[in-house]
Amino acid sequence: MANTSSRTLTLLSLLQTHRHWPGADLAERLGVSERTLRRDVDRLRELGYPVHASRGTDGGYQLAPGAVLPPLLLDDEEGVALAVGMGDAAQSGIAGLEEAAVRALTKVVQVLPPRLRARVNALRAMTVSAASAVPVIPAEVLTMIAQSCRDQERLRFDYVTRAGARTEREVEPHRLVALAGRWYLVAYDLTRHDWRSFRLDRLARPRNSGASFLPRPLPGGDAAAFVRAAAQVPTAKTVVALVHAPAEQVRRTAGRWGEIEPVAPDRCRLTMVATSLDWPTQALGNIGAEFEVLESPEFVDHLRNWGTRFLDAADRSAPRTR
């Protein structure tokens, strides 16, 4: 059995990962009796963490909002800054970062007092990111949906369809998916009795219905592939170029478009991921330096097509000698 201090930290971590823990399940995870679990919960309360307990057949424990931020012991300003940063990271478009950022955002927002949650949403709503033109998803929407997926609770929300019709939906949420700079919810629609994907920027007023559900198997099993097919999201392409210019120069011009790695004082590697090859072409053109394409052959063909069109346009536009 772990010592009391480490077990208390483990208990705190477990309470952050689920909305509600049945007492027996929590005691089993900790390897203690339910009587010892009650003492550990009391210890957390003494440290300032508001743990709610419920009795009966569905009895258990839940960490309420308003706790100090564990385990980093952040102050109010740091907590708000972290939540805003995680919200921006969740929409950064950087592969692999979005879902981890939402998990972190969910943990932070879950313990923020209401007054700080309001500050987070206000800051994100009033901050414009130069790297992204997509609508900002409020932190409370991301975290509410993430928690419903995690806890297998039915979700209700207002939704605007692609045609502009306003509807109210009740769904069994399955997974959040980030693709092409946007967030989607994959869920089983209880009204239409079928699987659907919903764009989060068209979704409003998410709320739990209070009903739990048993997960259904998603057709194909791959949530990202389901969204890509349903929303006709193009597949992202990777472009890698060796730019004949110092990394700092390239960073000033094209830093927001990709990752830059110095390889020599006057050379750097620029890696860009995009669903369209047009904007990597524009980004490289804006740098104003020679470059070599390292990846991919498809991008080489794209550049060749662009070059042919530009040369043809120049020939047609050249003044004719009289």
Side-chain angles (χ1 to χ4, degrees):
M1 183 187 301
N3 63 51
T4 302
S5 297
S6 63
R7 193 175 66 239
T8 302
L9 286 175
T10 301
L11 172 60
L12 182 57
S13 178
L14 289 172
L15 288 171
Q16 290 180 66
T17 61
H18 283 282
R19 182 187 302 276
H20 177 270
W21 273 98
D25 291 352
L26 198 52
E28 182 179 355
R29 288 291 295 270
L30 293 170
V32 299
S33 66
E34 293 195 41
R35 181 178 180 180
T36 300
L37 172 62
R38 287 193 293 271
R39 287 201 299 267
D40 289 345
V41 168
D42 289 339
R43 190 172 294 108
L44 280 180
R45 289 168 177 157
E46 292 171 2
L47 293 172
Y49 298 101
V51 182
H52 289 178
S54 56
R55 299 182 181 277
T57 56
D58 295 325
Y61 299 91
Q62 179 177 349
L63 183 65
V68 292
L69 292 175
L72 299 177
L73 301 178
L74 302 173
D75 61 27
D76 285 0
E77 298 299 325
E78 292 169 334
V80 169
L82 181 61
V84 171
M86 288 300 97
D88 290 342
Q91 294 180 258
S92 65
I94 300 175
L97 180 63
E98 300 98 332
E99 293 189 14
V102 168
R103 290 197 301 271
L105 179 64
T106 300
K107 289 182 178 180
V108 173
V109 170
Q110 183 172 285
V111 296
L112 283 178
R115 59 185 176 82
L116 295 186
R117 293 188 200 181
R119 287 179 59 189
V120 169
N121 289 328
L123 278 171
R124 294 199 66 230
M126 298 304 296
T127 302
V128 177
S129 172
S132 177
V134 299
V136 173
I137 308 301
E140 61 188 15
V141 172
L142 275 173
T143 56
M144 165 69 79
I145 295 174
Q147 288 172 341
S148 296
C149 293
R150 180 195 65 193
D151 297 335
Q152 297 170 10
E153 293 181 336
R154 288 183 179 177
L155 188 69
R156 293 193 183 110
F157 51 84
D158 300 336
Y159 192 72
V160 179
T161 66
R162 188 179 303 176
R166 297 184 178 276
T167 62
E168 184 174 338
R169 305 295 182 93
E170 182 172 1
V171 303
E172 295 176 353
H174 175 72
R175 187 70 53 81
L176 279 172
V177 175
L179 278 178
R182 296 189 185 277
W183 276 101
Y184 297 83
L185 167 65
V186 175
Y188 187 84
D189 192 319
L190 294 170
T191 302
R192 289 153 179 79
H193 304 290
D194 199 3
W195 288 92
R196 291 287 190 271
S197 67
F198 303 92
R199 270 177 47 175
L200 262 59
D201 57 302
R202 294 177 178 167
L203 183 154
R205 294 199 315 123
R207 53 216 182 264
N208 291 315
S209 69
S212 59
F213 63 90
L214 293 176
R216 304 170 189 261
L218 175 69
D222 188 331
F226 181 86
V227 171
R228 189 174 285 111
Q232 298 180 340
V233 177
T235 302
K237 305 172 181 64
T238 300
V239 171
V240 183
L242 179 65
V243 183
H244 296 201
E248 190 55 40
Q249 174 187 333
V250 175
R251 189 170 287 111
R252 286 195 300 268
T253 307
R256 66 175 177 168
W257 303 114
E259 297 181 3
I260 299 166
E261 177 187 358
V263 296
D266 60 346
R267 298 283 193 278
C268 65
R269 184 181 290 106
L270 173 60
T271 302
M272 297 173 283
V273 179
T275 56
S276 168
L277 293 177
D278 285 342
W279 71 256
T281 304
Q282 296 173 26
L284 285 165
N286 289 339
I287 295 171
E290 294 183 357
F291 62 90
E292 303 163 31
V293 177
L294 304 179
E295 185 183 342
S296 64
E298 182 183 1
F299 184 58
V300 174
D301 292 338
H302 191 78
L303 288 178
R304 189 174 287 115
N305 291 335
W306 265 54
T308 300
R309 292 202 307 272
F310 274 65
L311 286 173
D312 289 346
D315 290 341
R316 288 193 300 270
S317 304
R320 290 182 172 82
T321 303
R322 294 183 181 275

